[in-house]
């Protein structure tokens, strides 16, 4: 009996060690405000060269129906971190308060519990408990599962501007920077070299932020070479969000103006990170995920003037309920696990990373951990049963408050207008007219044919599904 029990214990230990050895490094690269139609691997007619992003698609799986959990920066990032839809909390508190509740499981805390070294570099945008920049910034990355953090509190057009190391300001914002707008009339006031005036840390230059974050990410990888534990690195680049500030090397290199030049620079920064993985001998043992947090700020006049469609034929842009606001480029490279050059039409959401990481690493989730997260690891491994979707539905709230839900090919928006930055954002219902929008995305991916009145049965079914998921805890 003692011998049998000893063998059983030994087998359990060996199985656990084998599972740990198989756990891959995980690198998440999230860019900012890049559209579905910007990378060449998503849009053959793109005017922007993105060889490094394209290489990930060549060597991994490209998703064509992947979504941010909300079409704005803070909405998207909350869902990615927590596996929870952002409409379940008040993410608008981020300017002065932490939006992730203390003790809530995140992708970082989950992986840390599984023995990972966890590091974050880049844009946080989920708030801190701010009591002055001379004090610890509580509630941020190092308090929700990351071993280390180097970054900024929000976007590079939202003051205050300063670097943060772990939970302390590197150089508190004691200097002042004025409002800035692009010269000429080719861009709107919220495009181009736009930033808001405010406080800035001594010696900090906005054009240096993206290269600096790339340096920091490369340093994390270099410092990890030879370590036995697996690495989880979350690199949240604050670009190509405004201000569009390409370095001299990239100015004039694209055919999509300043935005295209900046996006080419971002692609090159991604190339540096991928190169660091190669140099450290980590590439073959690393699961790389690339995506963007939400859609671009790109108008019809930009498409006409430059011949570049940043949303790749979809409708709308950042903040919108329409697809251009939240359908994202999403690529996974995992050598030896994900077949190279594959394409998936599975509907997934950033919230699904938590459940997927749990599955990959053998973490047993509790019911309240990632409640809106669905495991798509079988899709990555090519073993998802045909005809069995990963998600029963995908609900979302737009930047302007429109609620929408996707079930299969059908999409319901509970109001008229874009619900975001595209004009008109809101449209008043007319007597006898539709009270919302219903589209069949299989037949009409550009959302041009509103079937709200013609298919009342589908409207009722989707509205009931939306009410049910919103009411869930």
């Amino acid at each position: 009996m003692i011998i049998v029990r000893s063998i059983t214990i030994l087998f359990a230990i060996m199985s656990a060690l084998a599972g740990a050895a198989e756990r891959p490094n995980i690198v998440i690269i999230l860019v900012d405000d890049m559209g579905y139609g910007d990378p060449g691997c998503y849009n053959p007619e793109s005017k922007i060269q993105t060889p490094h992003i394209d290489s990930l698609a060549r060597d991994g799986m490209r998703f064509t129906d992947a979504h941010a959990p909300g079409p704005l920066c803070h909405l998207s990032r909350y869902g990615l971190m927590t596996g929870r839809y952002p409409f379940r909390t008040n993410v608008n508190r981020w300017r002065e308060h932490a939006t992730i509740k203390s003790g809530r499981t995140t992708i970082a805390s989950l992986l840390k519990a599984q023995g990972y070294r966890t590091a974050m570099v880049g844009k946080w945008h989920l708030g801190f408990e701010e009591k002055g920049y001379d004090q610890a910034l509580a509630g941020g990355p190092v308090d929700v599962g990351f071993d280390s953090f180097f970054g900024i509190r929000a976007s590079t057009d939202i003051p205050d501007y300063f670097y943060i190391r772990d939970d302390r300001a590197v150089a508190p914002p004691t200097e002042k920077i004025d409002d800035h707008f692009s010269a000429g009339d080719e861009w709107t006031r919220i495009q181009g070299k736009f930033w808001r005036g405010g406080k800035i840390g001594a010696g900090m230059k906005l054009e240096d932020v993206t290269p600096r974050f790339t340096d920091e990410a490369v340093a994390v990888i270099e410092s990890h070479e030879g370590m036995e534990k697996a690495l989880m690195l979350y690199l949240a680049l604050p670009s190509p969000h405004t201000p569009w500030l390409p370095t001299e090397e990239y100015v004039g290199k694209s055919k999509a103006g300043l935005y295209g030049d900046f996006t080419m620079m971002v692609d090159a920064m991604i190339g540096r990170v991928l190169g660091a993985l190669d140099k450290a001998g980590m590439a073959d043992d690393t699961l790389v995920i690339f995506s963007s947090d939400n859609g671009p700020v790109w108008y019809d006049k930009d498409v006409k003037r430059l011949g570049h469609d940043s949303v790749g034929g979809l409708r709308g842009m950042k903040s919108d309920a329409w697809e251009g606001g939240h359908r994202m480029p999403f690529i996974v490279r995992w050598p030896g696990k994900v077949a190279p050059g594959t394409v998936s039409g599975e509907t997934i959401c950033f919230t699904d990373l938590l459940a997927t990481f749990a599955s990959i690493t053998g973490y047993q989730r509790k019911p309240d951990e990632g409640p809106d997260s669905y495991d798509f690891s079988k899709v990555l491994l090519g073993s998802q049963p045909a005809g069995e979707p990963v998600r029963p539905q995908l609900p979302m709230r737009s930047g302007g408050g429109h609620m929408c839900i996707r079930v299969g090919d059908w999409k319901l928006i509970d109001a008229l207008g874009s619900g975001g930055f595209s004009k008109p954002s809101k449209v008043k219902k007319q007597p006898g007219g539709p009270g919302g929008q219903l589209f069949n995305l299989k037949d009409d991916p550009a959302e041009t044919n509103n079937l709200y009145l013609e298919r009342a049965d589908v409207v009722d079914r989707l509205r009931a599904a939306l009410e049910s998921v919103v009411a869930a805890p």
Side-chain angles (χ1 to χ4, degrees):
M1 180 66 70
I2 295 175
I3 294 174
V4 172
R5 185 177 180 184
S6 298
I7 292 174
T8 302
I9 294 172
L10 179 61
F11 179 77
I13 293 172
M14 291 177 67
S15 297
L17 291 173
E22 292 174 358
R23 290 171 187 162
N25 301 305
I26 296 174
V27 174
I28 303 168
I29 303 174
L30 187 73
V31 297
D32 202 331
D33 285 15
M34 182 183 289
Y36 185 89
D38 287 329
C41 55
Y42 279 88
N43 178 11
E45 298 180 358
S46 175
K47 302 287 185 172
I48 305 170
Q49 296 179 40
T50 54
H52 300 292
I53 296 172
D54 297 348
S55 76
L56 291 172
R58 179 196 66 213
D59 298 335
M61 179 176 288
R62 178 171 63 87
F63 284 78
T64 59
D65 199 10
H67 296 260
L72 287 173
C73 304
H74 51 310
L75 306 178
S76 178
R77 291 156 204 274
Y78 180 86
L80 183 150
M81 285 296 304
T82 64
R84 195 166 178 261
Y85 298 134
F87 58 71
R88 300 202 188 283
T89 194
N90 180 13
V91 291
N92 293 324
R93 302 174 72 243
W94 74 265
R95 290 182 183 274
E96 295 181 351
H97 299 284
T99 60
I100 298 179
K101 182 180 177 182
S102 178
R104 186 174 298 285
T105 298
T106 67
I107 56 173
S109 64
L110 182 155
L111 292 172
K112 186 173 182 177
Q114 293 299 80
Y116 277 71
R117 172 195 177 195
T118 55
M120 179 182 173
V121 175
K123 170 180 169 178
W124 179 233
H125 213 153
L126 291 176
F128 299 90
E129 292 300 324
E130 297 194 4
K131 298 179 180 179
Y133 297 142
D134 60 334
Q135 300 182 50
L137 293 163
V142 296
D143 290 326
V144 299
F146 287 102
D147 294 319
S148 64
F149 170 63
F150 181 84
I152 53 177
R153 59 195 290 275
S155 304
T156 44
D157 63 1
I158 300 177
D160 295 334
Y161 308 108
F162 61 100
Y163 291 121
I164 302 166
R165 176 78 69 184
D166 295 333
D167 61 356
R168 293 280 180 172
V170 174
T174 56
E175 299 184 355
K176 187 176 183 300
I177 187 172
D178 294 329
D179 288 333
H180 191 273
F181 304 94
S182 285
D185 58 357
E186 59 183 15
W187 304 114
T188 67
R189 288 175 63 85
I190 60 171
Q191 291 176 293
K193 296 181 179 180
F194 161 70
W195 64 75
R196 297 170 182 85
K199 295 179 180 179
I200 189 169
M204 183 179 186
K205 295 182 179 179
L206 298 180
E207 61 266 31
D208 294 339
V209 174
T210 293
R212 175 69 186 276
F213 286 161
T214 306
D215 291 342
E216 290 281 339
V218 168
V220 169
I221 293 168
E222 290 176 343
S223 70
H224 198 79
E225 185 176 358
M227 285 192 182
E228 290 186 7
K229 63 168 54 181
L231 171 67
M232 181 273 208
L233 169 62
Y234 170 36
L235 172 60
L237 293 174
S239 46
H241 192 294
T242 49
W244 301 339
L245 300 172
T247 55
E248 186 175 352
E249 179 182 357
Y250 297 96
V251 174
K253 293 298 175 66
S254 79
K255 296 181 180 178
L258 193 64
Y259 173 79
D261 298 345
F262 197 33
T263 302
M264 282 186 64
M265 190 191 92
V266 171
D267 180 79
M269 299 298 107
I270 293 169
R272 287 189 56 204
V273 174
L274 299 179
L277 290 172
D278 287 334
K279 187 176 180 181
M282 295 168 58
D284 288 344
D285 300 318
T286 300
L287 187 164
V288 176
I289 297 173
F290 163 81
S291 194
S292 174
D293 67 340
N294 49 247
V297 177
W298 199 253
Y299 297 88
D300 289 343
K301 69 179 184 66
D302 301 322
V303 178
K304 293 177 182 177
R305 179 169 63 89
L306 295 167
H308 174 74
D309 187 354
S310 190
V311 294
L314 301 176
R315 186 181 186 185
M317 60 175 162
K318 179 177 180 177
S319 187
D320 292 355
W322 294 327
E323 293 291 288
H326 49 84
R327 188 183 294 209
M328 294 291 96
F330 190 98
I331 306 170
V332 180
R333 186 187 78 179
W334 189 6
K337 298 289 186 180
V338 172
T342 49
V343 179
S344 174
E346 191 75 39
T347 304
I348 62 170
C349 178
F350 292 176
T351 57
D352 300 335
L353 290 180
L354 192 145
T356 302
F357 292 161
S359 178
I360 288 171
T361 64
Y363 181 90
Q364 298 298 313
R365 282 194 297 155
K366 300 179 182 67
D368 63 342
E369 294 180 307
D372 301 313
S373 190
Y374 294 84
D375 174 18
F376 65 92
S377 61
K378 289 184 179 179
V379 177
L380 298 177
L381 301 175
S383 59
Q384 180 71 22
E388 292 187 18
V390 167
R391 300 188 129 262
Q393 77 283 308
L394 175 60
M396 188 177 303
R397 177 182 286 154
S398 75
H402 287 13
M403 290 298 298
C404 61
I405 188 167
R406 171 83 174 277
V407 179
D409 296 330
W410 291 103
K411 175 180 175 182
L412 173 70
I413 305 174
D414 72 350
L416 300 173
S418 72
F421 288 174
S422 294
K423 303 299 182 184
S425 178
K426 296 181 180 179
V427 176
K428 186 176 181 180
K429 179 183 181 299
Q430 298 299 312
Q437 303 168 73
L438 178 71
F439 303 105
N440 185 306
L441 295 182
K442 181 179 180 181
D443 300 333
D444 181 25
E447 299 171 285
T448 59
N449 185 21
N450 186 2
L451 301 173
Y452 190 91
L453 295 178
E454 288 86 343
R455 294 301 305 269
D457 59 324
V458 179
V459 170
D460 290 344
R461 176 164 59 88
L462 266 62
R463 182 180 288 118
L466 179 60
E467 291 172 355
S468 176
V469 73
V470 169

